[in-house]
Amino acid sequence: MTIFCSHCHRPLQAETSCLPRTGRQAPSASKPFRSTKSASKARRDQINVELQALRSLLPISAREKERLSYLHTMALVCLRLRGAQLFPPDSAPPTGPILGMELLSLLPGFLLVLSASGKLVYISENVAEVLGLSVVELLAQGDTVYDILDGQACEDVRKKLLLAQEEPGREVTFVSEMRTSKAFRLQHGGNRAVAVCGRFTALRWPACPAATAFLALCTPVTPSPADSDTTSQDNLFQSVHVLDMTFIDVTESVTYHLGYHREELIGQSWYSLLHPEDAELAAAQHRAV
């Protein structure tokens, strides 16, 4: 049986055709699918392990560590690293008492230490009493002093710090609103105005920006209602003395201010309450009266 081509009507041979052949490509081997899901998970797991190791090194209680998020952990670690750069562990220990919470509670505000570039280096724990935010919560706002200030005051504060940096030892003061907790804003209608008074100090010699820190005391401009309730007792105490300054009477509010009961002071000399270095000056003023 002969088969003719329908196109040219010529007989066809086996496996032949007058039509042009279209090139056939051999099916290429499909590339193997490589998933990155496992690799990403491995990287995340490694990051989590490193963050947990850093968290374990922080000098805070185990209960506080459990409450730290990864963001708060990194903020605290960075704060500690900046502090270690300014105050190396092998440097001489600072003179004076260690600032514990009992001593900090006696201050009218909280302590603040900044680097030459305005980075936060140290914030005392009693900041929560002033702003309603703990150190960790405050660091979550950012790592510079400008992150915890009201945005409109940042430029003025920057100029003040530059001026203080040009003249180390010169005391500068500026007033600005600082960020507070939501509960504080709801109760008081906004952030809190704080007066910052401090100076740049060279921590090591020769002095350089890397070894210079701004040490400041941050005091609220107006006391909160809670503070007013605490100090609602007599702001002054009155006392009556004989000519040699011996107490013969004193109001009960002296206990709040000096820690002595009225009965303890009656019959005692006023000079016994003075610091020895102030006794001579006080005696001179007493004689002048």
Side-chain angles (χ1 to χ4, degrees):
M1 179 178 178
T2 304
I3 300 176
F4 294 90
C5 177
S6 61
H7 181 69
C8 62
H9 303 289
R10 289 186 297 179
L12 296 178
Q13 297 180 358
E15 299 181 358
T16 61
S17 174
C18 62
L19 293 176
R21 292 187 178 183
T22 58
R24 294 183 180 180
Q25 297 180 351
S28 59
S30 60
K31 295 182 179 179
F33 176 74
R34 181 177 297 175
S35 174
T36 59
K37 184 176 181 180
S38 58
S40 299
K41 183 179 183 303
R43 284 194 297 270
R44 289 196 303 270
D45 292 342
Q46 183 62 32
I47 292 173
N48 292 341
V49 170
E50 297 294 339
L51 286 173
Q52 290 172 4
L54 289 174
R55 182 188 299 171
S56 66
L57 297 176
L58 292 172
I60 57 178
S61 65
R63 183 178 180 182
E64 290 176 314
K65 291 178 183 178
E66 293 177 357
R67 298 171 55 188
L68 289 180
S69 66
Y70 289 152
L71 173 63
H72 292 156
T73 299
M74 289 304 302
L76 274 180
V77 169
C78 291
L79 183 76
R80 292 287 173 177
L81 289 176
R82 287 192 291 270
Q85 289 179 341
L86 283 176
F87 306 97
D90 57 349
S91 62
T95 58
I98 299 176
L99 292 178
M101 283 304 297
E102 292 184 0
L103 183 58
L104 289 173
S105 64
L106 301 177
L107 295 176
F110 63 93
L111 299 178
L112 180 69
V113 180
L114 306 175
S115 67
S117 60
K119 294 277 189 178
L120 297 171
V121 175
Y122 172 79
I123 308 173
S124 59
E125 295 291 338
N126 62 334
V127 66
E129 301 174 7
V130 179
L131 302 180
L133 292 171
S134 66
V135 175
V136 174
E137 293 169 334
L138 205 59
L139 289 174
Q141 308 289 330
D143 61 353
T144 70
V145 66
Y146 310 109
D147 295 317
I148 64 176
L149 297 177
D150 180 72
Q152 299 178 352
C154 288
E155 190 59 33
D156 292 337
V157 172
R158 198 184 307 273
K159 293 178 181 178
K160 288 278 189 179
L161 292 178
L162 287 175
L163 179 63
Q165 193 172 358
E166 292 174 357
E167 301 181 30
R170 176 181 177 179
E171 188 174 276
V172 297
T173 302
F174 56 87
V175 178
S176 176
E177 285 192 357
M178 288 192 174
R179 299 182 185 275
T180 55
S181 64
K182 182 178 180 180
F184 185 96
R185 294 193 300 272
L186 290 175
Q187 184 177 359
H188 304 289
N191 292 322
R192 192 166 198 182
V194 176
V196 181
C197 180
R199 67 189 68 185
F200 272 99
T201 303
L203 303 176
R204 295 187 299 276
W205 294 97
C208 63
T212 304
F214 182 75
L215 313 178
L217 175 64
C218 305
T219 310
V221 175
T222 56
S224 65
D227 297 335
S228 301
D229 294 341
T230 304
T231 58
S232 60
Q233 306 179 44
D234 294 343
N235 291 328
L236 301 174
F237 68 89
Q238 297 178 348
S239 59
V240 181
H241 306 260
V242 294
L243 292 179
D244 63 354
M245 293 302 292
T246 299
F247 285 95
I248 59 175
D249 194 15
V250 63
T251 56
E252 295 288 349
S253 58
V254 70
T255 304
Y256 173 75
H257 294 280
L258 300 184
Y260 293 97
H261 292 289
R262 176 176 177 272
E263 295 76 13
E264 295 178 272
L265 291 177
I266 293 179
Q268 296 291 329
S269 173
W270 175 71
Y271 288 102
S272 65
L273 303 178
L274 301 181
H275 191 279
E277 295 181 358
D278 298 328
E280 184 177 351
L281 176 60
Q285 294 176 339
H286 181 201
R287 287 192 295 269
V289 173

